Amino acid sequence: MKLLRWTTAVCLLGAGGIAQAAGQPDPNLARNLAATCANCHGTDGRAVPGSGNEALAGTDKDKLMQKLRDFRSGAKPATIMHQISKGYTEAQLELIAAYFAARK
C-alpha cells in the first residue's frame, strides 16, 4: 500500500512538472530551429567565406523573411531551400529570421 501511495505521489508530481513545462515557451526554440541551417550557412549563420553559401548572421529580419517566402512560393529558384522553407510554419520562420538578424 505504501508503494502505491509513493508511486501515485511521484506520478502526480511529475505530471505537474510536465504541465508547467508545457505551458512555458522554450527559450531556446529559435536557436534550435536555426541550428538546422548550419550545414549550409555555417554555425550561427556565419558561412565559411568562399563556400558559395550566404551568411545569415546580421541580415535584416524582413529581408530574410522575404527570401524565405520567395523560396516557399517558388518565386526564388533554389536547389533545396524551397523544400526546407515549406517544412516550417510562418511563426517558425519568423523565429529563425529574428534569431539570425540578432546575430552580429
Side-chain angles (χ1 to χ4, degrees):
M1 190 59 137
K2 284 185 179 184
L3 179 60
L4 178 60
R5 284 186 202 162
W6 185 82
T7 304
T8 303
V10 169
C11 290
L12 289 174
L13 287 173
I18 291 170
Q20 182 181 14
Q24 308 261 336
D26 181 357
N28 296 315
L29 181 59
R31 183 198 67 188
N32 294 344
L33 291 170
T36 62
C37 308
N39 284 339
C40 299
H41 295 281
T43 302
D44 218 13
R46 292 172 174 75
V48 175
S51 68
N53 291 314
E54 181 179 347
L56 302 177
T59 304
D60 180 67
K61 178 186 174 196
D62 293 332
K63 183 179 175 182
L64 286 174
M65 281 306 299
Q66 187 57 53
K67 284 185 179 185
L68 290 167
R69 288 182 184 118
D70 288 346
F71 284 131
R72 277 179 130 179
S73 70
K76 185 170 178 69
T79 310
I80 195 165
M81 276 304 300
H82 61 287
Q83 294 172 341
I84 292 172
S85 60
K86 288 178 184 177
Y88 293 100
T89 66
E90 187 75 8
Q92 289 172 326
L93 291 177
E94 291 273 349
L95 282 171
I96 292 168
Y99 177 83
F100 284 123
R103 301 291 158 259
K104 301 293 178 197

